[in-house]
Amino acid sequence: MKSNIKVFSLLILTFFIMLSCKKNKEVSPENKLEQPNVIVILLDDAGYADFGFMGCEDLETPNIDKLAKNGVVFTDAHVSATVCAPSRAGLITGKYQQRFGFEANNTGYGESGDIGLSDDVVTMADVFKANGYKTIALGKWHLGKDKTDHPNQRGFDEFFGFETGSRSYFPLENPSKYNMLQHNGERVEFDGYMTDVLGDQSVKYIEENKDQPFFMYLAYNAVHTPMEAKEEHLEKYKNHSRQKLAAMTWSLDENIGKLQQKLKDLNLEENTLVYFLSDNGGAANNTSSGGVLKGWKGNKFEGGHRVPFIVSWPKVIKGGQKFNGLSSSLDIFTTSLAAANIKKEDDLVLDGVNLLPYLQGEQKGNPHSKLFWRKLEEAGARVGDYKMVRLQNYGATLYNLKDDIGETTNLEISHPKELELLQNELINWESKMMNPLWVEDRSWMDVTSHIHKRLMQNKPVLYSNPVKMKEVLSKE
């Protein structure tokens, strides 16, 4: 029954996309030539402070720093979730993923089976493809393993990557259907290092599509575990305190440099809109750093969802800027439509804001007055300078990020009106969302609850995974 419903929904979605395509064929050839290429470079579990342009001094990122210098660096940018899969679901659809029940990590759990992206949800690729763009997804997908969730069924003409959430950076002897490297469903055997393979493929696709506008979703799995790097890079950083992360980051930077050089060689750099960000904060197990931020991947403190974010479009946006307005990965979809002069259909719900007027100096202030986060038992809300973290069956803490970006001083008692405001705003937002369609393993939920509780108390976290939790609790 589930399969039949999904197939029917996919047919309906395809029908409306075809209609949209017919409507947009009226765009003149002259306007088509002016449409920018759009590239989203998405990293995996990268720390907020782990790039030169963010002040890092021990990891080398010259090419990424060059992108930052030529573009706009955002200081208050956030993703819509603090873990991989729901964050990607929010980015690729431009709406809070809770609107379609994609709240917990992965793409299903237990009796739910694999659910993934709701079949009636429109992706960026759907819209760009319907408007004459070539659409390409590279790298990690992690948005569903069902046939109808394959990238080729979600608006991408080309998919070169893998479906699961993580895998080795080196060739696997007997890969499963989900962790094999594939091209449009067919296994690709490769030699070498995954980051290089994806980087080379990004350059190849740019060369192949240089004569038409393209949308590229370049989702590296670096710097997610396993912590694996090339021997020459491990040798380069043999005395480094974060050797493996430094080596993986260097490889990542090299390959982003390849892409930048190809755009320059083909005279595409000026009219290519590039976004650079991480899918969430740095992880507890990859030696990443959030700098002054509290927390990390998986929790609702700033270290979990505030990310390094660059927007570059030399033809339209002046480089060398910093932008301090409250912004979100949800803005990528809306901004890209505006950049490409693609009309948003009236029934397409997007929670993002067009950032272009802010980046061109036409509009001042914050693109968002409020943002929200929720994953099962933990939630967060941001209104203006105030931020609240809420833990089910425990309580809430309140911070003023303007004065306390490290979220150390709980204002719960001294600012009751602000706390009540944020609580009500969060409840109001939740009333418009769906309940999660799946949950997570109970042991991981207990670990996450422990981390939040200890961070809310400004106490050291005793464990960050189920194995360590079992060891600690057995000694109590």
Side-chain angles (χ1 to χ4, degrees), residues 10 13-14 126 146-156:
L10 184 62
L13 179 60
T14 303
D126 286 325
D146 190 274
K147 184 178 180 180
T148 61
D149 288 323
H150 191 275
N152 292 143
Q153 304 299 320
R154 305 315 299 246
F156 288 102

Side-chain angles (χ1 to χ4, degrees), residues 102-119:
F102 201 135
E103 181 170 326
N105 202 14
N106 295 317
T107 55
Y109 179 75
E111 294 181 1
S112 79
D114 192 85
I115 296 176
L117 283 176
S118 176
D119 289 339

Side-chain angles (χ1 to χ4, degrees), residues 300-313:
K300 302 302 174 287
F301 291 89
E302 293 293 289
H305 52 75
R306 187 185 288 232
V307 296
F309 188 39
I310 302 168
V311 177
S312 173
W313 188 12

Side-chain angles (χ1 to χ4, degrees), residues 306-424:
R306 187 185 288 232
V307 296
F309 188 39
I310 302 168
V311 177
S312 173
W313 188 12
K315 181 179 178 181
V316 173
I317 302 170
K318 180 182 177 183
Q321 298 186 63
K322 279 198 173 182
F323 181 69
N324 301 321
L326 182 59
S327 44
S328 169
S329 58
L330 301 176
D331 301 332
I332 290 174
F333 197 153
T334 304
T335 302
S336 300
L337 291 185
N341 196 27
I342 295 173
K343 181 183 181 297
K344 184 182 83 69
E345 297 298 322
D346 292 339
D347 59 350
L348 177 59
V349 175
L350 297 177
D351 290 312
V353 172
N354 176 14
L355 297 173
L356 295 180
Y358 296 90
L359 303 184
Q360 294 174 293
E362 298 170 2
Q363 200 164 337
K364 305 295 183 182
N366 291 302
H368 293 267
S369 61
K370 59 192 78 169
L371 288 174
F372 303 96
W373 302 269
R374 188 183 71 185
K375 183 168 78 71
L376 306 176
E377 298 173 347
E378 299 82 31
R382 169 83 179 270
V383 177
D385 292 329
Y386 286 94
K387 163 83 175 293
M388 179 186 72
V389 177
R390 187 190 72 189
L391 176 61
Q392 186 174 308
N393 299 323
Y394 180 74
T397 50
L398 179 72
Y399 308 97
N400 184 329
L401 296 181
K402 184 178 181 181
D403 303 328
D404 179 27
I405 194 171
E407 298 171 289
T408 59
T409 304
N410 181 11
L411 305 176
E412 172 193 7
I413 304 300
S414 60
H415 289 65
K417 289 184 179 179
E418 287 81 0
L419 179 62
E420 182 180 14
L421 170 65
L422 267 72
Q423 288 175 326
N424 290 337

